[in-house]
Amino acid sequence: MTVLQRRGGPVKHLAYRRTTRLKAPLEEEINNANAAIVVKGVKELIARFHEAPLIVFWESTKACPLACKHCRADAIFKPLPGELTTAEGKRLIEQVAEFGDPKPLLVITGGDPLMRPDLFELVDYANMLGVPVSLAPAVSPNLTEETLKEFKTHGVKSISISLDGARPETHDELRGVPGSFHDTVKAIKTALEVGMPVQVNTVVWRKSLPELPEVAKLLRDLGVRVWEVFFLIVTGRAREELDITPEDYEAAVQFLVDVSTYGFQVRTVEAPFYRRAKLERLEGKTYNHSLYRELTERLRKYLGSPTRGVDPTIVPTRDGFGIIFVGYDGTVTPSGFLPYPLGNVRRQSLVEIYRKHPLLLRMRNGEFGGRCGVCRYRDICGGSRARAYAYFGDPLAEDPACIYKP
């Protein structure tokens, strides 16, 4: 057992335990072919991400009516001085368009973007420039059926709604608002009823981890197909006591690989080693751990037998590579969870920052320390740069949550 030092104390690094079953030659050949196809597609995306992000996140405001325990943004009820004005927001949208075709997806987040009175003016301007827009609204009295219909009218591509547990007690504790769970489920139902595509975001934390199978069942029952699972970074309001162990991280991502066999499009945030787990499973490897078995047994109980194989889609985004984040005041960082300033769109071009900043170039070239620097999955994973920064103060250090030994 290796012990990695981090700020706040040591974190245990647990050995990666897996078993490999014997395969017939034809099955092995098929698995290898599937993996080869995946790798070819990934290389094409990597080349693209050197020039332009897939997604630009814009923290349009800090204002939010909620007070979530894990909030990256340290959101407050009223806007902070220094937010980008309407004119500056439009200039930012122009900079996103300057990346060229295919234009990045602009995700307008917060805080709560509905706290901005000019939100739909900005969405309309993005549509005029051919920049696709998705929104990440808070579940609050602002998110009415009429508002959801207005999203659709203004050409919003999709929305993301956070559901952080299968029980009201779990979700409401994290969100800090009693009754938020029921409001969230209602908002998801209403959005789907009016024809607005919904992605559900779930934070994996100490109390939501054992409820993941029940969350999957709830999403299936609601008709949600896109599940984005966030893994905690100790930043903003997020506290270490909310986090889980590295071994639990592995069990969780392996479980999510199984979830993908039920037709869900599963994505992870700050757990890029999910893609390593997925590729290993596509290569025919199996995984065995008590928590993983418990989670998957309940998943089978609720959803029955898998309906397809492991989803082979791998999109190798990570902090600063394929994604970029613009704060409420125009400050650019590799992601919302990595508060390392790279520049400001009030004074510099977002395109120039993304393509030329020395830290981003090192990240894209895989110049990582520790295990991440020598890992065979460096290109498709690369570890969470935000977690490396939170634990070691170095965005190029290894990811302490990953238990894989290269």
Side-chain angles (χ1 to χ4, degrees):
M1 181 181 296
T2 303
V3 177
L4 301 176
Q5 294 297 323
R6 62 171 167 83
R7 291 183 294 183
V11 57
K12 292 181 180 179
H13 174 61
L14 300 161
Y16 181 75
R17 298 198 296 265
R18 68 170 185 257
T19 59
T20 306
R21 57 189 171 85
L22 296 176
K23 302 183 292 294
L26 179 58
E27 182 181 354
E28 184 170 3
E29 184 177 333
I30 292 172
N31 288 333
N32 290 338
N34 288 338
I37 293 171
V38 169
V39 170
K40 180 181 178 182
V42 167
K43 288 181 178 179
E44 294 171 354
L45 286 173
I46 288 172
R48 173 184 168 186
F49 294 164
H50 276 279
E51 296 299 317
L54 180 68
I55 304 173
V56 174
F57 292 93
W58 176 25
E59 179 191 53
S60 60
T61 181
K62 287 279 191 181
C64 181
L66 304 182
C68 305
K69 287 185 177 181
H70 67 294
C71 183
R72 156 201 60 75
D74 273 331
I76 56 176
F77 188 72
K78 293 183 179 181
L80 283 176
E83 285 186 358
L84 295 184
T85 65
T86 302
E88 289 171 326
K90 289 182 177 179
R91 177 58 192 137
L92 170 60
I93 294 168
E94 292 169 1
Q95 292 182 42
V96 174
E98 288 166 4
F99 278 107
D101 295 323
K103 294 181 176 65
L105 172 69
L106 176 64
V107 177
I108 303 179
T109 180
D112 180 5
L114 285 171
M115 300 290 276
R116 280 195 71 120
D118 59 356
L119 176 62
F120 291 112
E121 181 180 349
L122 293 165
V123 171
D124 290 343
Y125 191 71
N127 285 331
M128 185 182 74
L129 295 181
V131 175
V133 176
S134 290
L135 299 178
V139 175
S140 74
N142 297 329
L143 192 63
T144 64
E145 181 177 350
E146 290 70 28
T147 302
L148 289 165
K149 289 178 178 178
E150 200 167 359
F151 288 167
K152 192 170 176 62
T153 299
H154 285 269
V156 173
K157 300 301 181 185
S158 64
I159 63 171
S160 59
I161 293 179
S162 295
L163 180 67
D164 296 315
R167 300 182 305 124
E169 299 85 352
T170 306
H171 175 89
D172 291 357
E173 179 181 342
L174 195 68
R175 291 286 151 185
V177 178
S180 177
F181 176 85
H182 294 294
D183 292 342
T184 296
V185 172
K186 180 182 177 181
I188 294 169
K189 287 181 178 179
T190 304
L192 292 172
E193 286 169 359
V194 304
M196 173 56 59
V198 177
Q199 166 187 300
V200 166
N201 298 342
T202 299
V203 173
V204 176
W205 63 296
R206 182 171 41 81
K207 291 189 177 181
S208 70
L209 174 62
E211 297 179 12
L212 291 179
E214 287 73 24
V215 175
K217 179 183 184 301
L218 177 56
L219 298 189
R220 196 275 309 269
D221 293 345
L222 290 170
V224 174
R225 308 310 301 173
V226 182
W227 191 14
E228 186 151 291
V229 184
F230 286 63
F231 288 75
L232 203 65
I233 300 295
V234 182
T235 185
R237 288 199 191 106
R239 302 192 307 273
E240 287 191 41
E241 60 262 32
L242 301 178
D243 208 356
I244 60 176
T245 68
E247 191 169 41
D248 289 343
Y249 272 95
E250 186 66 24
V253 297
Q254 294 287 348
F255 165 78
L256 292 174
V257 175
D258 284 78
V259 171
S260 78
T261 67
Y262 289 90
F264 286 97
Q265 184 178 353
V266 179
R267 304 169 184 154
T268 60
V269 176
E270 303 305 345
F273 40 83
Y274 167 67
R275 300 191 285 269
R276 180 260 301 159
K278 185 189 284 191
L279 189 56
E280 287 185 318
R281 299 279 284 278
L282 287 168
E283 291 171 342
K285 296 183 177 68
T286 59
Y287 175 78
N288 187 28
H289 179 268
S290 58
L291 175 59
Y292 165 75
R293 290 196 304 271
E294 177 187 337
L295 295 175
T296 52
E297 285 170 6
R298 297 212 313 275
L299 183 69
R300 303 280 188 271
K301 174 185 174 183
Y302 298 135
L303 303 188
S305 299
T307 59
R308 63 196 67 190
V310 171
D311 176 17
T313 306
I314 290 181
V315 181
T317 57
R318 59 177 176 266
D319 305 313
F321 185 63
I323 63 170
I324 199 74
F325 182 88
V326 181
Y328 77 99
D329 62 352
T331 299
V332 180
T333 59
S335 76
F337 299 95
L338 205 176
Y340 190 105
L342 306 169
N344 192 294
V345 296
R346 282 178 161 141
R347 298 181 292 275
Q348 299 162 271
S349 160
L350 182 62
V351 174
E352 181 178 355
I353 293 171
Y354 181 85
R355 291 179 179 169
K356 296 183 179 180
H357 193 281
L359 176 62
L360 297 185
L361 292 176
R362 294 187 67 187
M363 285 180 173
R364 279 178 219 143
N365 292 331
E367 297 177 20
F368 308 132
R371 290 170 295 129
C372 288
V374 296
C375 183
R376 63 176 287 220
Y377 299 105
R378 181 176 60 186
D379 289 338
I380 67 162
C381 172
S384 167
R385 301 298 95 220
R387 187 174 295 107
Y389 185 67
Y391 275 70
F392 302 114
D394 179 3
L396 296 172
E398 68 180 28
D399 185 345
C402 179
I403 66 175
Y404 179 77
K405 284 187 175 182

